[in-house]
Amino acid sequence: MSAVLGLVAAKRSRIRLVILAMLFAATAINYADRATIAIAGPAMAKDLGFDAVTMGYVFSAFAWSYVLAQLPGGWLLDRYGVKWVYAAAIFLWSAFTLMQGAVGFFSGFAAVAVLFSLRLAVGLAEAPVFPANARITAAWFPAHERGMASAFFNSAQYFATVLFAPLMGWIVHAFGWHHVFTVMGALGIAFALLWTQVVHGPREHPAINPAERDYLEAGGAMMDMDGRKAETATRAGRTLRQLLSERMLLGIYVGQYCINTLTYFFLTWFPVYLVKERGLSILQAGFAATLPALCGFLGGILGGVISDQLLRRGYSLTAARKIPIVSGMLLSMAIIGCNYVQADALVVGLMALAFFGKGIGALGWAVVSDTSPKESGGLSGGLFNTFGNLAGITTPIVIGYIVRETGSFNGALVFVGLNALVAGLCYLVVVGEIRRVALKP
């Protein structure tokens, strides 16, 4: 009887899965709130008299502030703690999203200025999220589960398209574009309150048992979601210089920029490509975009599973991360094949295959969890995300010039495919051994 009781007592709780579900939900809401402007945009532009150039500036506002706020956001995480900075971020970006529903009360330049400012504010507020995700994953998951955990929360960006895009489209159709912002903003505010009640560090979570805590420590989990606050705050500049001097990290950063080039092509130009180059209607393009998003979601899950399975089978951390990333990037080059087929079904199929490969290779945040210095995970994640999201600024512009100068998307698809190749080469040639960086005193 005592042996049975001892076995029951030793059974691990699974609170880390609850934490992972919270990260997934937060990331899905994050991407849905980014997409509100795209869903509401056509009806909003018609009501407020915005032309294409004006909407282009509005679309760009988020990316500019999001990139500029990455390093300050990472510093805030290290300085004030992940849990409460994350909760404040969710609340603020949701509040700013909700406020966009009131833009209809303005007109002319005032409407443009208010909407542009609110989109800037959303980008600023969302900046700490992915560095915080990486930090929480490093604290709550042993190394052999970290790839799957990172891939799971990262795949929420695709799931957000599949789940929320039809919902928001229905809201616009049934109630008007204003209510997309109010509904999504209210949802985020409610989730921020839930976050404060559910998310804690492994050492202080009230529901974790000693068996799970021991399992995490034995597997290499960092256990602490926060950095050394006082030290990090005074040494942020020195830390950044050390991070930028690491060849491994520079290879990871450039690789993430190239990977995100694929992401931003799908988020910005893909529907336009289907309509302008392939002659689909807007409704057909909307349905066609769902398949690549779903394939990206499935590929993201599979990439994490493959990486963790390789670790369990005795492969090094370096091999376990690089094999899915490089393979996925090579698969993403299938996008170039769209230049050589005519059938719309084949085009969508090749795009889905490319996005599936991109999902498999999207293990950058797992690598951030593996490599960030223990005392400055937020700053390291912020730097990584800064490089990655520069693609959100450059990709739409470069593709726009290519299409204007050549009159077709052929060169644009080659550009995107070559970025996938460069990402794979970065991990093969530049990154070297994947290891945790130790800051010099």
Side-chain angles (χ1 to χ4, degrees):
M1 183 65 178
S2 60
V4 173
L5 291 176
L7 181 62
V8 172
K11 186 176 181 180
R12 295 192 300 267
S13 56
R14 295 183 176 271
I15 302 304
R16 64 192 184 282
L17 301 184
V18 176
I19 300 297
L20 183 57
M22 293 295 288
L23 293 182
F24 183 88
T27 305
I29 294 171
N30 179 290
Y31 269 85
D33 285 350
R34 297 185 196 190
T36 50
I37 191 70
I39 302 297
M44 174 191 288
K46 183 178 179 180
D47 281 358
L48 300 178
F50 292 172
D51 61 15
V53 174
T54 301
M55 289 305 296
Y57 277 105
V58 170
F59 287 150
S60 72
F62 172 89
W64 285 97
S65 60
Y66 186 70
V67 167
L68 291 174
Q70 285 302 308
L71 294 180
W75 179 84
L76 285 172
L77 291 169
D78 291 331
R79 180 67 180 86
Y80 295 105
V82 170
K83 174 181 175 177
W84 293 106
V85 171
Y86 206 135
I90 299 171
F91 179 87
L92 287 173
W93 95 57
S94 300
F96 293 136
T97 297
L98 189 150
M99 291 177 193
Q100 290 170 68
V103 171
F105 290 109
F106 301 87
S107 62
F109 178 77
V112 175
V114 170
L115 184 58
F116 189 87
S117 299
L118 288 172
R119 293 302 296 175
L120 281 174
V122 171
L124 289 171
E126 289 193 5
V129 170
F130 272 87
N133 285 355
R135 187 79 193 191
I136 294 170
T137 303
W140 268 100
F141 287 87
H144 66 273
E145 293 182 1
R146 205 172 290 150
M148 176 60 190
S150 298
F152 187 72
F153 78 67
N154 194 51
S155 68
Q157 62 182 282
Y158 315 114
F159 185 77
T161 300
V162 176
L163 176 64
F164 287 110
L167 172 63
M168 290 189 288
W170 173 77
I171 292 173
V172 172
H173 176 75
F175 303 104
W177 62 265
H178 311 76
H179 295 287
V180 169
F181 298 111
T182 55
V183 169
M184 294 307 300
L187 174 64
I189 290 171
F191 185 78
L193 299 176
L194 177 65
W195 176 277
T196 63
Q197 301 303 308
V198 175
V199 176
H200 308 272
R203 298 191 190 280
E204 61 269 13
H205 200 291
I208 192 173
N209 67 2
E212 184 175 17
R213 192 177 288 114
D214 293 343
Y215 171 75
L216 297 179
E217 287 191 292
M222 289 175 56
M223 303 302 292
D224 184 8
M225 293 199 306
D226 303 319
R228 299 172 188 170
K229 299 175 184 177
E231 183 180 53
T232 306
T234 58
R235 294 180 51 196
R238 186 180 301 175
T239 298
L240 283 175
R241 287 194 296 273
Q242 290 192 48
L243 294 176
L244 289 170
S245 68
E246 287 278 348
R247 172 178 165 171
M248 173 190 69
L249 293 180
L250 287 175
I252 292 168
Y253 297 157
V254 175
Q256 185 66 11
Y257 170 85
C258 295
I259 292 171
N260 272 5
T261 296
L262 280 79
T263 300
Y264 281 103
F265 168 75
F266 280 101
L267 289 177
T268 57
W269 281 104
F270 179 48
V272 180
Y273 166 78
L274 292 176
V275 173
K276 299 291 186 181
E277 190 89 355
R278 293 293 169 174
L280 274 63
S281 69
I282 295 176
L283 183 61
Q284 290 171 327
F287 279 105
T290 302
L291 180 61
L294 184 60
C295 288
F297 173 76
L298 296 175
I301 299 298
L302 181 61
V305 170
I306 292 172
S307 182
D308 287 349
Q309 284 295 326
L310 289 172
L311 270 178
R312 290 190 180 97
R313 293 181 180 182
Y315 285 79
S316 68
L317 179 65
T318 300
R321 299 296 188 238
K322 285 187 178 184
I323 289 173
I325 292 173
V326 175
S327 301
M329 291 302 99
L330 292 176
L331 195 59
S332 291
M333 294 183 69
I335 195 171
I336 299 176
C338 294
N339 290 335
Y340 304 99
V341 299
Q342 297 300 320
D344 293 338
L346 286 176
V347 170
V348 174
L350 286 170
M351 289 287 185
L353 182 63
F355 217 9
F356 179 73
K358 190 264 179 184
I360 290 176
L363 286 173
W365 284 107
V367 176
V368 170
S369 297
D370 296 328
T371 58
S372 294
K374 293 183 177 180
E375 61 270 40
S376 59
L379 203 59
S380 175
L383 189 59
F384 170 84
N385 218 22
T386 298
F387 274 84
N389 282 281
L390 284 172
I393 298 170
T394 60
T395 300
I397 296 172
V398 170
I399 291 177
Y401 275 107
I402 292 173
V403 172
R404 191 186 73 175
E405 296 300 322
T406 65
S408 80
F409 276 84
N410 289 356
L413 298 187
V414 172
F415 167 75
V416 175
L418 289 178
N419 269 273
L421 177 62
V422 173
L425 290 175
C426 281
Y427 275 89
L428 280 176
V429 179
V430 182
V431 171
E433 180 189 2
I434 294 176
R435 52 178 173 75
R436 189 169 303 283
V437 172
L439 295 179
K440 299 173 184 177

